[in-house]
């Protein structure tokens, strides 16, 4: 059951069959239904998300006809005039819609009628999959309840009190009487007479179809297949970038499709660290793919598309004709990522952790949209509790490496140890710095670490740690590891 | 040939077994915000596996926290060289550190010449950190060999290691006479102190007691101070 905020606490927005059987009804207060049925599961309704999903579904449903609009919060209206025969008639089209909606996981109630009002009424109050023609329209509508006329609650109540329960009852009343009682038009848009006329087709009711979202796509069809598409790309890219400039957008994700004459299509993607509409830069990101391109018998269609766009305002060049340093950096990140893979170009990703290897890891730089401050001069901002500075190595091994202890003493680090098959003797040491495991995320047997900064004879400063204590009951005798290198 | 005509290109040879080479390179980058912008740190796969990854908290403590690091994980030497060349074209970077393990085939005299030309054209300093590499032909005007030395005295705890010291040998240079020094990073003055190595006595008796050589003016823009 989904709940929305009502005037006096949450009310039921939608419920499944089980909940309806238990007594839940739309518009009822959640507390009342809870009293009836304590085991009711309530989740908050996402009204904005529903509206967005309905808009997407409306655009998707243009597969059946070019003219569609969302109708209320739970309906869609499709103007299939002249397109139903493409699907083999209206019955076949409704069957196809059922199948496709079922594939999406949606159940749909469908009806086909000559007017918007009649289709609305039949879909909600008629028999499933009703198809009505202009001849059968009055007969089909007559047995439907008054609620099928899209009237407001007050008018419905008045009609109910007058004993008019069916549309047929309303049709039998003279028009002049209805007009005198409820008004004809003017400020009362939803008068019974007007709605009746709309449903029967005496008054026009056009469907306003929202335009599809702008798609930044440029298709280049070539007269002859070419083996190397590169000479045609600058034109296509310039056209795409002109589109982007006009709309004040920049591409974050660029897609190039190359269609071969034998029907094979190759798709290449390039992502950028910040929105861009510089044709030369975007072309350069795609350059890598042309080195290993299999042209077959040649390409005859080239498509460039900005698959994801973000607003990008006009940038002003500096007086010395140089681009902004943030743009220059993003350009560098894009180029490196396009060539070497996004995972190879990394920027630090600090986390709130006191385990050294978790405190700062390396994350792909291109994915960092919200953390541009990390690459800006000034670096990480402060804020919150700042731990006292501890001495940390400048290099951290990817994994702590186990060292062989040659000569140990009860306290402090071993006097002699062997690392990577070479023996070392410790001359000086500092420590320990005890770092406890993060008990809230690690398993219970995780052991603490005692870190020492040691200097071996002949120079060389290392960061050693002993994992665990002798007799902490979490495994055998503690092991020694080398974790980092000091300058 | 004037100093300006030489590319800002320095090569440092060191071992992956210690952090001395990295330490000296980072210490020389510490120029107290003379150039703002991130550092591009290109590592090939073997260098990352043998010597580990740069660790931000330690580096920020060494050179101040005004320059973040952009790390590039290259598969091999050739890819690392390509990434370095791309980075040298971006003037928003404060420096490029290229870390290459051993002597990859792609890193020959021609490759260093290409790097030098780009570094000179865009004036982006390039530090080529050669880990476990043998000395071969290179265009770099300054070539260092770095070894770790016993650290200075820790005034708070005599048993603890103190300020890091490195044995820095400038074995080839087109700017100065080659020489050998004990290098130490002066964190407060944002520069590297070079002192003549001690001929006798234990290393680590403190800077104030080390024999002073005649101070010489050092050009090249590097933050090097000789004692």
């Amino acid at each position: 059951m989904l709940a929305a905020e009502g005037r006096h606490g949450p009310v039921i927005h939608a419920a499944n069959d089980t909940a309806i059987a238990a007594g839940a009804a739309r518009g009822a207060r959640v507390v009342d239904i809870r009293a009836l049925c304590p085991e009711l599961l309530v989740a908050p309704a996402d009204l904005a998300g529903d509206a967005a999903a309905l808009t997407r579904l409306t655009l998707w449903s243009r597969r059946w006809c070019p003219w569609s609009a969302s109708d209320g919060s739970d309906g869609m209206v499709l103007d299939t005039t002249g397109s139903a025969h493409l699907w083999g008639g209206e019955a076949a089209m409704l069957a196809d819609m059922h199948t496709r909606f079922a594939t999406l996981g949606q159940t749909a109630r469908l009806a086909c009628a000559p007017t918007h009002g009649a289709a609305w009424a039949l879909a909600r109050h008629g028999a499933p999959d009703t198809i009505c023609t202009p001849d059968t329209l009055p007969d089909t509508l007559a047995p439907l309840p008054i609620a099928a006329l899209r009237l407001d609650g007050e008018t419905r109540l008045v009609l109910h009190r007058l004993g008019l329960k069916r549309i047929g009852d309303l049709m039998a009343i003279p028009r002049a009487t209805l007009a005198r009682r409820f008004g004809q038009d003017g400020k009362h848009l939803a008068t019974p007479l007007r709605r009746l006329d709309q449903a029967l087709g005496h008054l026009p009711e056009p469907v306003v179809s929202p335009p599809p979202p702008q798609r930044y796509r440029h298709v280049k069809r070539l007269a002859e297949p070419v083996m190397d598409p590169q000479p045609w790309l600058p034109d296509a890219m310039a056209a795409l970038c002109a589109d982007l400039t006009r709309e004040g957008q920049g591409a974050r994700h660029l897609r190039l499709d190359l269609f071969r004459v034998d029907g094979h299509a190759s798709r290449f993607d390039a992502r950028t660290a910040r929105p861009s509409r510089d044709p030369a830069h975007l072309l350069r990101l795609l350059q890598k793919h042309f080195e290993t391109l299999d042209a077959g018998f040649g390409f005859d269609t080239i498509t460039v598309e900005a698959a994801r766009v973000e607003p990008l305002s006009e940038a002003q060049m500096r007086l010395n004709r140089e681009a902004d340093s943030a743009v220059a950096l993003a350009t560098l990140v894009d180029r490196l990522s396009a060539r070497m893979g996004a995972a190879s170009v990394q920027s630090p990703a600090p986390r709130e952790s006191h385990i050294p290897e978790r405190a700062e890891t390396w994350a792909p730089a291109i994915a960092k949209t919200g953390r541009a401050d990390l690459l800006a001069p000034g670096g990480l901002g402060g804020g919150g509790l700042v731990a006292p500075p501890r001495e940390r190595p400048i290099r951290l091994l990817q994994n702590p490496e186990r060292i062989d202890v040659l000569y140990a003493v009860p306290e402090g680090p071993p006097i002699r140890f062997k690392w990577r098959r070479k023996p070392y003797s410790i001359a000086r040491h500092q420590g320990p710095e005890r770092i406890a495991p993060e008990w809230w995320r690690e398993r219970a047997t995780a052991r603490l670490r005692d870190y020492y900064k040691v200097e071996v004879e002949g120079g060389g400063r290392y960061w050693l740690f002993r994992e665990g204590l002798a007799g902490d009951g979490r495994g055998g005798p503690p092991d020694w590891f080398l974790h980092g290198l000091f300058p | 040939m004037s100093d300006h005509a030489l590319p800002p290109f320095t090569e440092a040879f060191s071992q992956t077994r210690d952090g001395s080479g990295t330490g000296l390179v980072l210490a020389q980058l510490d120029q107290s915000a003379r150039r703002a912008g991130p550092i591009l740190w290109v590592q090939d796969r073997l260098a990352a596996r043998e010597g580990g990854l740069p660790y931000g908290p330690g580096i920020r403590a060494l050179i101040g926290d005004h320059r973040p690091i952009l790390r590039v994980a290259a598969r091999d030497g050739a890819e690392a060289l390509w990434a370095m060349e791309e980075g040298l074209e971006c003037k928003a970077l404060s420096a490029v550190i290229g870390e290459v393990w051993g002597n990859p085939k792609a890193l020959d005299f021609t490759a260093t010449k290409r790097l030098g030309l780009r570094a000179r054209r865009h004036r982006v300093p390039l530090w080529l950190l050669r880990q476990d590499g043998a000395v071969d032909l290179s265009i770099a005007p300054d070539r260092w060999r770095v070894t770790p030395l016993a650290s200075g005295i820790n005034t708070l705890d005599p048993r603890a290691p103190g300020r890091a010291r490195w044995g820095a040998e400038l074995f080839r240079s087109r700017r100065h006479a080659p020489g050998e020094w004990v290098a130490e990073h002066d964190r407060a003055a944002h520069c590297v102190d070079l002192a003549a190595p001690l001929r006798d006595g234990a290393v680590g008796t403190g800077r104030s007691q080390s024999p002073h050589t005649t101070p010489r003016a050092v050009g090249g823009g590097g933050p090097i101070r000789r004692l």
Side-chain angles (χ1 to χ4, degrees):
Chain A
M1 198 188 77
L2 296 175
E5 276 307 311
R7 196 180 292 169
H8 303 289
V11 296
I12 294 175
H13 175 67
N16 63 7
D17 292 341
T18 322
I20 289 169
R26 188 176 173 164
R29 286 168 61 189
V30 169
V31 281
D32 297 344
I33 307 302
R34 272 250 172 85
L36 286 177
C37 178
E39 60 268 20
L40 208 61
L41 293 176
V42 181
D46 179 13
L47 300 180
D50 286 351
L54 185 65
T55 311
R56 278 205 304 277
L57 202 62
T58 309
L59 295 174
W60 175 80
S61 69
R62 289 194 187 160
R63 56 182 299 116
W64 290 293
C65 66
W67 204 253
S68 74
S70 57
D71 186 14
S73 65
D74 58 350
M76 284 194 302
V77 52
L78 276 68
D79 190 349
T80 60
T81 313
S83 52
H85 72 277
L86 297 173
W87 301 91
E90 284 166 343
M93 185 177 68
L94 291 190
D96 183 55
M97 285 181 183
H98 270 302
T99 320
R100 302 257 179 202
F101 278 116
T103 318
L104 289 184
Q106 307 277 352
T107 49
R109 296 172 59 133
L110 304 171
C112 199
T115 62
H116 180 184
W120 194 95
L122 288 169
R124 285 165 178 77
H125 299 277
D129 294 341
T130 317
I131 295 171
C132 96
T133 56
D135 307 331
T136 60
L137 187 57
D139 297 339
T140 324
L141 282 183
L144 296 184
I146 288 293
L149 272 186
R150 296 179 287 165
L151 295 169
D152 54 9
E154 211 174 312
T155 320
R156 266 206 320 259
L157 190 65
V158 173
L159 289 173
H160 190 76
R161 284 182 181 155
L162 292 173
L164 301 170
K165 297 202 170 67
R166 308 261 155 206
I167 295 181
D169 303 340
L170 217 54
M171 286 186 206
I173 295 175
R175 291 178 61 85
T177 323
L178 272 181
R180 199 164 59 240
R181 179 66 179 81
F182 295 101
Q184 190 167 16
D185 37 35
K187 65 179 184 188
H188 298 291
L189 268 178
T191 57
L193 191 60
R194 193 182 174 82
R195 285 300 192 197
L196 199 60
D197 282 348
Q198 282 176 344
L200 293 174
H202 303 315
L203 274 180
E205 190 182 6
V207 174
V208 179
S209 175
Q214 165 106 27
R215 211 169 161 199
Y216 299 97
R217 190 158 185 263
H218 195 81
V219 184
K220 190 134 191 111
R221 290 179 207 287
L222 306 177
E224 290 283 324
V226 294
M227 304 304 281
D228 183 10
Q230 288 187 71
W232 278 268
L233 282 179
D235 278 352
M237 197 65 83
L240 180 74
C241 290
D243 282 354
L244 290 169
T245 312
R246 202 165 44 244
E247 301 289 329
Q249 304 281 337
R252 279 296 307 275
H253 179 181
L254 188 72
R255 179 173 286 165
L256 169 72
D257 285 300
L258 297 173
F259 296 94
R260 280 191 346 207
V261 279
D262 55 0
H264 187 274
S266 332
R267 166 168 289 186
F268 306 110
D269 293 284
R271 286 174 172 78
T272 57
R274 55 180 282 153
S276 163
R277 50 168 180 251
D278 177 9
H281 172 55
L282 293 176
L283 266 183
R284 205 163 162 180
L285 296 184
L286 293 168
Q287 211 89 62
K288 170 193 163 193
H289 303 295
F290 298 120
E291 293 168 8
T292 55
L293 193 59
D294 179 15
F297 294 105
F299 302 100
D300 59 355
T301 307
I302 298 168
T303 309
V304 285
E305 181 180 4
R308 205 175 118 215
V309 294
E310 271 180 18
L312 173 65
S313 54
E314 289 284 345
Q316 192 175 5
M317 293 287 245
R318 290 197 179 169
L319 284 179
N320 57 2
R321 307 287 300 159
E322 276 180 19
D324 190 38
S325 70
V327 177
L329 267 182
T331 311
L332 176 70
V333 170
D334 290 350
R335 266 189 224 154
L336 293 173
S337 302
R339 181 91 186 190
M340 309 172 68
S344 295
V345 186
Q346 303 159 344
S347 55
R351 266 187 288 188
E352 284 182 356
S353 170
H354 56 264
I355 304 288
E357 66 265 29
R358 258 180 67 79
E360 189 168 301
T361 51
W362 295 95
I366 201 163
K368 282 211 171 150
T369 51
R371 305 301 300 271
D373 55 320
L374 288 181
L375 277 179
L380 281 171
L385 279 174
V386 178
R390 305 243 180 229
E391 215 165 351
R392 288 283 179 261
I394 53 168
R395 306 184 69 108
L396 209 60
L397 297 182
Q398 283 172 324
N399 293 305
E401 290 180 16
R402 189 190 299 262
I403 53 176
D404 296 331
V405 176
L406 300 178
Y407 181 60
V409 287
E411 296 250 325
I415 300 292
R416 282 171 63 78
F417 67 92
K418 198 154 96 175
W419 176 52
R420 290 186 182 168
R421 301 191 300 281
K422 190 179 166 193
Y424 293 92
S425 309
I426 289 180
R428 291 191 274 181
H429 73 268
Q430 184 181 10
E433 178 191 346
R434 179 160 293 183
I435 295 180
E438 295 184 325
W439 50 264
W440 55 92
R441 50 173 295 274
E442 286 181 78
R443 61 187 199 285
T445 54
R447 305 180 85 169
L448 60 83
R449 297 173 179 178
D450 278 341
Y451 277 95
Y452 291 89
K453 177 184 178 181
V454 304
E455 181 176 297
V456 297
E457 273 170 16
R461 285 156 287 274
Y462 302 104
W463 212 31
L464 306 182
F465 71 86
R466 183 187 62 219
E467 192 176 37
L469 296 169
D472 57 359
R474 296 181 169 185
D479 271 323
W480 283 89
F481 293 88
L482 194 147
H483 200 182
L485 312 175
F486 279 99
Chain B
M1 190 180 276
S2 74
D3 261 357
H4 194 72
L6 290 176
F9 178 16
T10 314
E11 221 172 341
F13 288 83
S14 73
Q15 301 289 314
T16 49
R17 284 182 167 270
D18 52 68
S20 56
T22 320
L24 184 69
V25 167
L26 284 174
Q28 299 216 26
L29 281 176
D30 180 8
Q31 299 179 27
S32 179
R34 190 178 295 179
R35 255 184 105 110
I39 298 171
L40 184 75
W41 192 312
V42 183
Q43 267 189 317
D44 69 355
R45 193 176 55 88
L46 284 169
R49 203 177 66 185
E50 294 291 315
L53 310 181
Y55 187 54
I59 293 172
R60 279 196 289 277
L62 190 69
I63 64 167
D65 58 353
H66 54 278
R67 279 177 295 179
I69 290 176
L70 191 63
R71 177 179 176 264
V72 176
R75 271 183 288 277
D76 50 14
E79 213 178 58
L81 288 172
W82 180 85
M84 277 185 249
E85 286 188 19
E86 284 288 315
L88 287 175
E89 291 196 348
C90 180
K91 288 184 189 170
L93 293 175
S94 63
V96 176
I97 300 178
E99 195 181 336
V100 179
W101 188 85
N103 293 63
K105 214 172 169 185
L107 182 55
D108 51 6
F109 184 73
T110 321
T112 61
K113 199 160 183 176
R114 286 168 62 110
L115 288 175
L117 284 174
R118 293 210 182 205
R120 191 172 67 181
R121 192 184 313 146
H122 301 284
R123 307 304 306 171
V124 177
L126 170 66
W127 293 84
L128 193 58
L129 189 55
R130 303 283 305 269
Q131 301 275 42
D132 298 341
V135 175
D136 48 8
L137 284 178
S138 164
I139 196 79
D142 294 302
R143 308 184 79 190
W144 294 83
R145 192 178 287 124
V146 192
T147 50
L149 285 183
S151 57
I153 283 186
N154 191 331
T155 49
L156 300 173
D157 180 4
R159 292 190 319 172
R163 236 157 72 167
R165 284 182 175 171
W166 309 290
E169 183 194 355
L170 185 65
F171 64 91
R172 213 189 115 89
S173 173
R174 292 171 68 186
R175 291 195 181 99
H176 327 291
E180 207 171 327
W181 294 275
V182 174
E184 200 174 312
H185 178 218
D186 189 342
R187 209 169 288 181
H190 301 288
C191 67
V192 176
D193 293 342
L194 293 180
L198 300 173
R199 295 293 170 213
D200 47 15
V203 175
T205 46
R207 208 178 74 205
S208 56
Q209 296 167 23
S210 62
H212 286 231
T213 52
T214 329
R216 279 187 291 173
V218 177
I224 293 175
R225 186 169 74 192
R226 294 185 192 189
L227 297 176

